[in-house]
Amino acid sequence: MSEVARYRILAPSYINKQLLFEGDEVDYEGKPGSALEPINDAAKEAKKKAYKNYVEPKPEDEKPPAPKPEGDGSNQADVDLAALRDEYEALFSSAPHPAMKAETMKTKIAEKRAELGV
């Protein structure tokens, strides 16, 4: 029979349907988190396994550049989108949802114009 992993609690934790506090000890077979300190060899091995697949985040200088926000006016498409938003707001008396695509706005504007006979 294999040894059950035993841990000391480092911060209040909810484990095995129990609220445990700092200094308590618990037998736990799941993936150990940072609030569990291994006591026996089985726990130490489980802790190593749990963090084996951990990938360090890339340093800030290696991240790809952030995409430009939509509608910053730097090209014609942004200007057209702003005009569509203005037209939508004039027809519907409310601003379009920020995630609404230009094609959707065009369709809704056309439907509203047809409804109004404009």
Side-chain angles (χ1 to χ4, degrees), residues 44-56:
K44 289 175 186 171
E45 197 59 38
K47 193 85 166 183
K48 282 181 194 173
K49 254 188 190 176
Y51 292 101
K52 176 180 153 186
N53 295 329
Y54 176 74
V55 177
E56 285 285 329

Side-chain angles (χ1 to χ4, degrees), residues 6-61:
R6 187 153 185 84
Y7 299 92
R8 181 174 295 107
I9 306 298
L10 300 176
S13 303
Y14 188 74
I15 300 174
N16 297 335
K17 298 181 182 181
Q18 295 178 359
L19 183 58
L20 302 168
F21 296 95
E22 188 175 338
D24 291 345
E25 292 184 5
V26 65
D27 293 333
Y28 183 62
E29 294 179 10
K31 182 178 177 183
S34 60
L36 298 177
E37 177 183 36
I39 294 175
N40 60 11
D41 292 336
K44 289 175 186 171
E45 197 59 38
K47 193 85 166 183
K48 282 181 194 173
K49 254 188 190 176
Y51 292 101
K52 176 180 153 186
N53 295 329
Y54 176 74
V55 177
E56 285 285 329
K58 291 184 177 181
E60 198 61 37
D61 58 335

Side-chain angles (χ1 to χ4, degrees), residues 76-89 91-92 96-97 99-115:
Q76 187 59 37
D78 291 338
V79 172
D80 292 343
L81 184 60
L84 270 176
R85 288 179 190 270
D86 291 342
E87 188 174 358
Y88 182 97
E89 193 167 344
L91 283 171
F92 290 93
H97 188 279
M100 187 180 288
K101 299 203 181 292
E103 289 304 313
T104 307
M105 276 191 271
K106 287 178 186 177
T107 303
K108 289 189 180 250
I109 288 170
E111 289 171 356
K112 186 69 168 183
R113 282 184 168 187
E115 178 186 311

